């Protein structure tokens, strides 16, 4: 495993002394999602280099995380670097702070490696940074920046859904922020027209999530009345962010489904995918997934692949659907063009999406052994839900808990985990260490 999280300079020095018999994977970020990707690749002996920004606040260097120690170590609160699946780990310039600096760091790292590497961006900003910066010597196992922008742009995504007949929530692009739109500049409605059509509460959603998150600290806002709606739209206009108004869907709890897939450059006919049901979220209504299980929903798979095919996207993605009780059907909410928190579920089910993506741009080979029913649990959030929500009833059996505690789930049964693995204990141990320290890691996934 990576003995420490190094400064950029120390990482370059360490890599210059190493040798690799195949292209290593550059995995960013280096937290829960990055850990899942690293473990998936390590299972096929792919060397993994975890790249992230150091932990730290403005008083100790902001994204730089303060000065390195004498041996080049930097503080990093993410969970991937201590994993046995990670060979090296270190800092790079955070791309949202300085994209050119990020490119220079990655190219210096690849130069030290002495051969090309394969990039896995595990959050939007990292996937987009690898695509936009296009560092020399880095192979991208996903579509280029133009295609990514089209898929991530909600105006473009919903226009595609409309053309293909894929149901999605009732949505209006707002005239008040049309000047900031990068997709179709023609708005659907004014603020007042959208309010009259949708009623309250309603959801304010950005055309491009990353710009909205920088301005508001979240990727969606629910507003209760016209005053809140007007304030949110005015703030978006001030920030130069195009937004849309969307009907608040009466979501059926526990029925959120996603297609987890890898589409190769050859197209959707050769796609590898698994439909997952986010049976439990933390918090339950609008939180992140903490218990996900395979599901047999061929219509969801067909609709998601049709959208990806129309966009010309290849690579790993998660197409998210919610079930609308009022309409009695699944609605497409979003497509994430990268790995995500529960990436370990399709891997355990028999669809190792990271390895399929790696094989798609290297000489490696990968073939799925077939899909088996599987459940994935992130114990930190699941246990917090059990402890803090009296209305929630445990969905794991006594046999499940016994296998989890004994570590037998790694060898038998249909259950896998997000971080906790007795065969790779350091990430879970680090989670215990950091959980009770008064500081937050910059990313929850």
């Amino acid at each position: 495993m990576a003995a420490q999280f190094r400064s950029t300079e120390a990482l370059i020095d360490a890599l210059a002394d190493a040798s690799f018999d195949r292209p290593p994977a550059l995995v960013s970020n280096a937290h829960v999602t990055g850990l899942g990707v690293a473990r998936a690749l390590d299972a096929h002996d792919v060397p993994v280099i975890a790249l992230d920004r150091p932990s730290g606040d403005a008083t100790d260097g902001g994204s730089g995380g303060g000065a390195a120690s004498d041996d080049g170590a930097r503080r990093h609160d993410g969970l991937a670097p201590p994993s046995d699946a990670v060979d090296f780990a270190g800092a790079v310039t955070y791309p949202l702070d300085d994209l050119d600096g990020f490119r220079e760091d990655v190219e210096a790292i690849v130069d030290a490696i002495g051969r090309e590497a394969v990039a896995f961006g595990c959050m939007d900003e990292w996937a987009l940074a690898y695509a936009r910066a296009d560092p020399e010597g880095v192979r991208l196992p996903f579509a280029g920046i133009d295609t990514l922008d089209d898929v991530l742009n909600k105006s473009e995504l919903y226009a595609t859904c409309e053309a293909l007949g894929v149901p999605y929530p009732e949505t209006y692009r707002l005239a008040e922020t049309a000047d900031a739109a990068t997709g179709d500049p023609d708005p659907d409605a004014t603020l007042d027209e959208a309010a009259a059509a949708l009623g309250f509460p309603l959801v304010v959603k950005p055309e491009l999530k990353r710009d909205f998150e920088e301005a508001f600290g979240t990727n969606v806002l629910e507003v209760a009345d016209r005053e809140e709606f007007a304030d949110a739209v005015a703030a978006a206009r001030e920030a130069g962010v195009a937004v849309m108004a969307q009907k608040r869907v009466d979501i059926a709890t526990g029925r959120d489904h996603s297609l987890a897939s890898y589409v190769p450059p050859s197209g959707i006919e050769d796609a590898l995918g698994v439909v997952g049901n986010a049976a439990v979220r933390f918090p339950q209504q609008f939180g992140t997934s903490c218990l996900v299980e395979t599901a047999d929903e061929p219509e969801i798979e067909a609709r998601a692949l049709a959208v990806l095919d129309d966009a010309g996207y290849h690579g790993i993605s998660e197409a998210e659907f919610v079930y609308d009780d009022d309409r009695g059907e699944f609605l497409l909410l979003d497509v994430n063009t990268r790995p995500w928190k529960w990436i370990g579920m399709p891997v355990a089910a028999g669809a190792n999406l990271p390895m399929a993506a790696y094989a798609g741009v290297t000489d490696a080979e990968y073939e799925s052994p077939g899909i088996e029913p599987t459940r994935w649990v992130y114990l930190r959030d699941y246990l917090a839900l059990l402890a803090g929500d009296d209305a929630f009833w445990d969905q794991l059996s006594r046999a499940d808990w016994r296998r989890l505690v004994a570590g037998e789930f790694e060898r038998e049964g249909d259950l896998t985990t997000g971080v906790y693995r007795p065969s790779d204990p350091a990430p879970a141990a680090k989670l215990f260490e950091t959980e009770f320290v008064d500081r937050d890691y910059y990313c929850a996934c």
Side-chain angles (χ1 to χ4, degrees):
M1 69 175 180
Q4 60 188 18
F5 186 83
R6 306 170 190 262
S7 68
T8 309
E9 296 76 13
L11 176 62
I12 289 170
D13 290 343
L15 291 171
D17 292 333
S19 61
F20 300 92
D21 61 0
R22 61 199 318 194
L26 308 179
V27 176
S28 308
N29 64 11
H31 198 38
V32 177
T33 305
L35 174 62
V37 171
R39 284 172 167 169
L41 295 170
D42 179 67
H44 291 265
D45 299 320
V46 175
V48 174
I49 301 169
L51 302 178
D52 204 344
R53 59 171 168 170
S55 301
D57 56 32
T59 61
D60 67 358
S63 64
S69 63
D70 291 341
D71 62 355
R74 303 292 289 271
R75 200 188 92 215
H76 183 263
D77 294 337
L79 303 180
S83 169
D84 289 339
V86 176
D87 297 276
F88 296 90
V92 290
T93 299
Y94 188 48
L96 292 185
D97 292 338
D98 180 359
L99 185 63
D100 289 336
F102 168 75
R103 180 192 300 108
E104 291 169 4
D105 286 350
V106 173
E107 288 181 346
I109 287 167
V110 172
D111 186 60
I113 292 169
R115 64 181 305 160
E116 290 187 319
V118 180
F120 288 85
C122 299
M123 297 296 291
D124 282 346
E125 67 266 34
W126 294 100
L128 288 165
Y130 280 116
R132 185 164 283 118
D134 195 19
E136 186 175 348
V138 174
R139 303 180 192 178
L140 300 182
F142 51 88
I145 189 61
D146 290 341
T147 302
L148 288 185
D149 280 342
D150 285 347
V151 176
L152 294 174
N153 186 305
K154 295 297 186 298
S155 293
E156 300 287 347
L157 177 64
Y158 293 147
T160 298
C161 289
E162 186 72 28
L164 296 176
V166 174
Y168 64 97
E170 184 179 357
T171 305
Y172 296 91
R173 293 167 296 176
L174 297 177
E176 286 78 1
T177 62
D179 289 346
T182 58
D184 186 342
D186 295 329
D188 298 312
T190 65
L191 182 154
D192 287 326
E193 289 169 343
L198 298 175
F200 292 101
L202 61 80
V203 172
V204 178
K205 179 173 281 191
E207 180 186 70
L208 292 173
K209 183 167 63 176
R210 62 186 181 276
D211 297 333
F212 193 81
E213 285 179 331
E214 286 187 55
F216 292 90
T218 182
N219 58 26
V220 67
L221 290 175
E222 183 175 312
V223 295
D225 53 39
R226 190 195 181 284
E227 182 178 2
E228 287 187 13
F229 186 24
D231 287 345
V233 173
R237 181 179 176 85
E238 179 69 21
V241 178
V243 294
M244 53 191 69
Q246 189 171 88
K247 181 178 177 61
R248 184 186 184 277
V249 179
D250 185 14
I251 295 172
T253 302
R255 295 197 64 185
D256 298 350
H257 285 66
S258 296
L259 174 67
S261 71
Y262 169 69
V263 176
S266 57
I268 62 171
E269 293 79 9
D270 300 316
L272 176 63
V274 177
V275 175
N277 168 217
V280 180
R281 291 183 177 274
F282 176 70
Q284 282 203 73
Q285 288 294 327
F286 301 107
T288 60
S289 303
C290 64
L291 180 63
V292 184
E293 54 196 19
T294 52
D296 182 19
E297 292 286 352
E299 188 173 38
I300 285 178
E301 181 171 3
R303 288 175 171 176
L305 290 177
V307 170
L308 296 172
D309 185 47
D310 186 83
Y313 177 76
H314 69 270
I316 294 173
S317 69
E318 177 203 14
E320 298 182 83
F321 292 77
V322 295
Y323 189 81
D324 185 342
D325 270 333
D326 291 339
R327 292 169 58 173
E329 60 185 350
F330 286 102
L331 310 181
L332 179 63
L333 271 190
D334 206 354
V335 175
N336 298 309
T337 53
R338 51 166 175 79
W340 56 95
K341 188 176 182 180
W342 51 273
I343 186 68
M345 189 279 274
V347 174
N352 190 325
L353 305 181
M355 188 59 204
Y358 179 88
V361 293
T362 67
D363 293 333
E365 295 182 359
Y366 173 74
E367 183 175 346
S368 168
I371 307 301
E372 296 292 338
T374 303
R375 295 169 296 156
W376 173 96
V377 63
Y378 182 47
L379 287 171
R380 177 201 176 279
D381 289 353
Y382 190 82
L383 290 169
L385 188 61
L386 279 174
D389 189 336
D390 292 338
F392 177 69
W393 192 256
D394 188 7
Q395 297 190 29
L396 299 181
S397 68
R398 182 177 298 177
D400 289 332
W401 285 111
R402 184 167 56 246
R403 282 193 291 268
L404 283 168
V405 173
E408 294 169 354
F409 72 96
E410 293 195 74
R411 300 180 294 277
E412 62 182 49
D414 65 350
L415 187 62
T416 190
T417 57
V419 172
Y420 168 65
R421 300 274 179 89
S423 63
D424 183 24
K430 188 174 182 181
L431 181 59
F432 279 114
E433 295 170 10
T434 57
E435 185 67 15
F436 305 106
V437 175
D438 187 22
R439 64 177 186 248
D440 293 324
Y441 185 62
Y442 79 95
C443 173
C445 294

